[in-house]
Amino acid sequence: MSFATADLYDQHGEDLQSVTTQMISVGGVHRFTGPIRTVRCFESNVEVKKLVATPGEGAVLVIDGQGSMNRALLGDNVARTAMENGWAGVIVNAPVRDRVELGTLQIGVKALGTNPRKSEPNDSGETDVIVNFGGVTFRPGKTVWADEDGILVER
């Protein structure tokens, strides 16, 4: 990828939103971009699994786990499925697990942290809805850019 979020912000300023939440980069790709797809859920990744099993076509999945650190919403198996289906990356407003394995996959993953505790399987969750966290509004179809400096989102 030939972009840097700092340069993009210098060029476009307030036309871009900057995520204020500090996230760690745990995937094997540290710089990724694409159109946004979303899942809003709480401690359950059922909808995440369903969505990453479909063609990603270079999109970035933004998972709003509402900041709960109680359960991981993404692990190596789900991330591998996303990678194999052409997703560019995943941004998780919650923890992930299998950090070492995630680092070997050719997909971008940013998360609040890690927790080995798996998600609770229930059917709560919404797909392709507007989600808000880190001072940013993530709208399906808008573009997101992520690198070592942070995450920018098209207004």
Side-chain angles (χ1 to χ4, degrees), residues 8 10 16 73 79 92-93 103 110 123 127 134 145 154:
L8 284 170
D10 288 348
L16 299 173
L73 294 180
V92 188
N93 186 30
K110 288 199 174 270
D123 289 332
T127 302
W145 296 266
E154 178 183 18

Side-chain angles (χ1 to χ4, degrees), residues 37-145:
R37 300 283 308 272
T38 65
V39 171
R40 179 187 299 127
C41 54
F42 185 74
E43 297 183 7
S44 172
N45 69 356
V46 171
E47 291 301 316
V48 173
K49 288 178 181 179
K50 288 179 189 175
L51 192 54
V52 300
T54 66
E57 300 174 339
V60 174
L61 177 56
V62 177
I63 304 168
D64 183 7
Q66 301 171 50
S68 173
M69 295 299 289
N70 292 328
R71 295 178 181 273
L73 294 180
L74 184 83
D76 61 333
N77 292 330
V78 176
R80 184 175 294 104
T81 299
M83 179 189 74
E84 290 170 351
N85 284 310
W87 292 83
V90 185
I91 298 169
V92 188
N93 186 30
V96 297
R97 62 190 231 154
D98 306 312
R99 182 177 185 165
V100 172
E101 291 84 1
L102 289 174
T104 68
L105 299 177
Q106 290 303 299
I107 189 168
V109 178
K110 288 199 174 270
L112 292 181
T114 61
N115 185 338
R117 188 177 187 199
K118 67 182 181 178
S119 74
E120 180 68 32
N122 63 52
D123 289 332
S124 68
E126 301 173 275
T127 302
D128 289 325
V129 295
I130 295 172
V131 298
N132 297 283
F133 61 86
V136 167
T137 300
F138 295 87
R139 291 180 176 84
K142 295 291 187 176
T143 302
V144 61
W145 296 266

Side-chain angles (χ1 to χ4, degrees), residues 19-36:
V19 175
T20 57
T21 303
Q22 297 298 298
M23 295 194 159
I24 60 172
S25 184
V26 293
V29 174
H30 298 284
R31 190 173 297 220
F32 56 97
T33 184
I36 295 169

